Amino acid sequence: SSRFRDCIEELDPGRHQFFPISVEDRHGALKPGPYFLFNVVGYIDSIIEAQSSLKALGREVSEAWIYQREVGPWQCAMDASIIGERACWTELHYGRRRFVSDRLAALFRQRKLTGFDLDDHCDEVSI
């Protein structure tokens, strides 16, 4: 939605891509928009492995190594100095999954945006 885009642009202006799309309800009627397809631009490697419930697979044999989630409770720490001022990003070694900063999650909650899951929190750690 434009409200979602506005939050991203407020904290991370000009970095990501928003492609306008039309949205129809199940009866084929156009929903009033605007709506966008959101593309997170930029890969970073901010995961602090020693403080996370993730293990590296293939690091010794491939540049395309990945993290795999270990069994048990979720725990993830990320290096705040690598995240910097980003509002959202994609983690290079964790299945190219998208992440949002604490600042962006707080803004989504403050503006009562819904339709996505913010339950798996990662600590933004200064090391």
Side-chain angles (χ1 to χ4, degrees):
S1 69
S2 59
R3 292 176 57 224
F4 178 92
R5 183 195 60 191
D6 292 347
C7 289
I8 302 288
E9 287 296 315
E10 183 176 321
L11 298 182
D12 218 352
R15 184 184 308 248
H16 306 287
Q17 297 174 318
F18 296 89
F19 300 99
I21 59 171
S22 298
V23 176
E24 298 177 355
D25 67 17
R26 63 179 149 185
H27 305 291
L30 281 176
K31 295 186 71 135
Y35 290 96
F36 303 89
L37 180 65
F38 174 49
N39 182 40
V40 176
V41 175
Y43 298 106
I44 63 173
D45 186 10
S46 68
I47 292 174
I48 303 170
E49 187 175 336
Q51 297 177 37
S52 301
S53 57
L54 301 167
K55 65 179 177 181
L57 297 177
R59 186 181 357 233
E60 298 79 25
V61 295
S62 173
E63 289 182 22
W65 63 272
I66 61 168
Y67 283 116
Q68 179 179 353
R69 185 174 177 168
E70 294 180 338
V71 175
W74 171 251
Q75 180 180 347
C76 184
M78 301 181 143
D79 188 333
S81 69
I82 294 173
I83 295 168
E85 293 298 314
R86 287 176 181 81
C88 51
W89 64 93
T90 305
E91 275 295 324
L92 179 62
H93 295 293
Y94 191 40
R96 302 193 189 272
R97 285 192 173 95
R98 293 180 241 166
F99 288 82
V100 300
S101 68
D102 290 344
R103 293 180 314 122
L104 182 57
L107 189 57
F108 285 160
R109 287 183 181 107
Q110 175 189 0
R111 296 193 181 161
K112 297 180 177 22
L113 272 71
T114 59
F116 42 82
D117 180 10
L118 297 174
D119 292 341
D120 284 341
H121 180 263
C122 297
D123 296 323
E124 296 177 19
V125 178
S126 296
I127 55 174

